Amino acid sequence: MTARKEILFEGYFYDVTDFIRKHPGGTVIEYYTEKGEDGTIAIRQFHKRSAEKVRLMMNTLKKRPASDSEIGLDPDVLKKNRSLTEDFTKLHLELEKEGYFEPSYMQSLVRLMEMLFWAVVGLTLFSKQKIVFAMAAITLARIRAAFLVHELGHNSYTGNPKIDRVLGTLLQGIIVGLSVGRWKRLHNRHHAMPQRLHHDVDLETMPMVAFNKKVVRKSADGKRFNIQYQAYLFVVGSGLVALVSQFYQYPKFMFKQRNYLEMVCIALHGVFLYHIGFWPWFLSGWGGSFYMLLTFAMNHTFLPVTAEPTHWVEYAFHHSANLESTPWCDWATGHLNYQIEHHLFPTMPNFRLPFISDRVKKLAQKHNLPYTVCSYSEGVYKTFKNMSEVSKELSA
């Protein structure tokens, strides 16, 4: 008989064996069926905007009280985790009461108009044969759209999951040219357990790049030319990732899921491609892909990885890094320079993250957790230095 799979939530084990295949977020739910995992905070944070719906669903599942011995953690670790959960929950409730999870429709409109502005500017310049400036504007439009899609994927843009879902599909498909459904599946796996080996999809970058030597399973793979010179080839590799995603992985997902709206949006993106020509489209996509991959790489890749069960809060502090707080950096990263805060509260609108950073720092200090911050240039340097050092480690 196949063993039943259970999730620990608020002191009870819930049987999710039959629910796993129905889970809208995909297989990420299985991460929390492993021994030593507590899905309480993850479920609360992932599903904050549909909490009532989740509770109704949980009430349909068989449950049983969870004893300390069954949880599978050392008593001291369990005590530490419960203290951390208590303080984090207190902070979360305070921020919720103060309105920090509420979106701003003016902010949302301004950012949408900015993205559309660059798209219109780019298309206008193409019609006037000013190709270089046009490509720069189109690249910027695709980057700004990607940041918007990121917020839409977290349901933090308008705060209405249905509106965010449809708008995300439109922007990701028409402007960026990718499936938002597949991106969300992958991104949820990253947020569930950042820098966790065999769990965080952002670590599963072989054979293109290795951000940590522990992701390389065979010694010979680490000695490949592209891995040995990955710090120099990162720009090239990001373009190849964009191509593989655009023409294979994302279309495959769309057809498998029969997501017809996404297919229509991708077809409209094809009209956009036809209008500007293949090479301008390809180079703008390459530039956008490199920029976004570098932005996310600076938030995590030079930090340690883990293979052990880790508290939701500790994932954010130990395995995420913030970038400097300046008007330029805030804009250039879509406020994702506050990556620690974002991983703690993924459904909080990004523009509100700077306003809670001091309270997040106090939480880190109280529990003796790191709070890593570096400048934008330092983040770039650490990212490429890490890739170079990993190459040297693998060459030995």
Side-chain angles (χ1 to χ4, degrees), residues 31-100:
Y31 289 178
Y32 295 100
T33 64
E34 299 172 7
K35 189 174 183 179
E37 300 293 350
D38 187 341
T40 301
I41 296 180
I43 292 172
R44 289 173 179 171
Q45 294 302 320
F46 272 132
H47 302 290
K48 175 173 174 51
R49 301 195 185 277
S50 54
E52 186 60 32
K53 183 179 179 180
V54 170
R55 287 200 175 274
L56 290 173
M57 184 280 298
M58 296 291 279
N59 287 337
T60 67
L61 303 176
K62 292 181 180 179
K63 70 175 184 178
R64 62 186 181 86
S67 64
D68 289 356
S69 60
E70 286 184 292
I71 292 175
L73 293 175
D74 181 88
D76 290 336
V77 173
L78 194 57
K79 181 180 179 181
K80 171 185 67 70
N81 285 357
R82 283 173 174 164
S83 174
L84 190 52
T85 295
E86 182 180 351
D87 287 339
F88 175 78
T89 301
K90 181 181 178 182
L91 174 60
H92 173 229
L93 292 174
E94 289 174 355
L95 297 175
E96 185 177 44
K97 185 177 180 180
E98 294 168 26
Y100 281 100

Side-chain angles (χ1 to χ4, degrees), residues 262-278:
E262 288 192 353
M263 294 178 194
V264 171
C265 291
I266 297 295
L268 292 173
H269 180 78
V271 175
F272 167 75
L273 183 162
Y274 177 79
H275 179 76
I276 67 175
F278 176 78

Side-chain angles (χ1 to χ4, degrees), residues 151-168:
E151 285 201 63
L152 289 161
H154 284 294
N155 297 325
S156 60
Y157 189 71
T158 70
N160 185 311
K162 291 182 179 179
I163 295 176
D164 283 356
R165 190 180 307 117
V166 173
L167 188 55

Side-chain angles (χ1 to χ4, degrees), residues 130-367:
K130 296 181 179 180
I131 305 300
V132 174
F133 294 106
M135 282 178 50
I138 290 295
T139 301
L140 189 52
R142 296 175 79 170
I143 290 171
R144 302 311 289 176
F147 281 132
L148 293 183
V149 169
H150 177 269
E151 285 201 63
L152 289 161
H154 284 294
N155 297 325
S156 60
Y157 189 71
T158 70
N160 185 311
K162 291 182 179 179
I163 295 176
D164 283 356
R165 190 180 307 117
V166 173
L167 188 55
T169 300
L170 295 175
L171 291 183
Q172 181 83 329
I174 298 173
I175 306 298
V176 183
L178 296 174
S179 159
V180 74
R182 175 174 167 79
W183 174 81
K184 284 178 67 175
R185 290 283 180 93
L186 298 176
H187 195 60
N188 285 341
R189 287 174 58 191
H190 163 67
H191 263 272
M193 298 180 179
Q195 295 294 92
R196 174 79 174 268
L197 291 169
H198 313 305
H199 291 71
D200 183 0
V201 69
D202 286 6
L203 286 174
E204 298 171 13
T205 52
M206 287 292 289
M208 298 300 301
V209 64
F211 292 119
N212 190 287
K213 67 177 183 179
K214 293 180 180 179
V215 305
V216 181
R217 292 178 172 83
K218 297 179 181 178
S219 177
D221 291 341
K223 293 179 172 59
R224 291 180 178 178
F225 177 84
N226 63 297
I227 299 298
Q228 285 300 300
Y229 294 93
Q230 61 182 356
Y232 305 98
L233 298 174
F234 185 69
V235 176
V236 177
S238 60
L240 294 176
V241 168
L243 277 178
V244 173
S245 298
Q246 200 105 36
F247 291 107
Y248 175 67
Q249 293 175 335
Y250 282 74
K252 179 182 177 182
F253 178 87
M254 280 190 304
F255 284 103
K256 183 178 180 181
Q257 296 295 317
R258 298 180 182 179
N259 194 318
Y260 300 113
L261 178 58
E262 288 192 353
M263 294 178 194
V264 171
C265 291
I266 297 295
L268 292 173
H269 180 78
V271 175
F272 167 75
L273 183 162
Y274 177 79
H275 179 76
I276 67 175
F278 176 78
W279 285 111
W281 168 85
F282 172 72
L283 292 174
S284 67
W286 192 312
S289 176
F290 167 70
Y291 187 89
M292 295 304 295
L293 287 174
L294 177 61
T295 299
F296 289 118
M298 286 191 289
N299 295 141
H300 300 284
T301 57
F302 56 84
L303 294 167
V305 298
T306 182
E308 302 299 326
T310 304
H311 193 281
W312 174 272
V313 175
E314 291 181 316
Y315 274 123
F317 287 115
H318 283 295
H319 304 292
S320 302
N322 284 8
L323 299 178
E324 62 188 341
S325 177
T326 66
W328 177 85
C329 192
D330 290 355
W331 174 84
T333 62
H335 283 103
L336 290 179
N337 49 331
Y338 293 91
Q339 193 69 192
I340 295 172
E341 287 77 8
H342 174 60
H343 269 268
L344 288 173
F345 307 106
T347 61
M348 181 178 289
N350 288 359
F351 78 93
R352 296 196 188 278
L353 297 176
F355 303 107
I356 70 167
S357 60
D358 287 343
R359 290 153 85 170
V360 170
K361 287 177 188 175
K362 289 181 180 179
L363 177 67
Q365 291 169 356
K366 180 176 180 179
H367 291 271

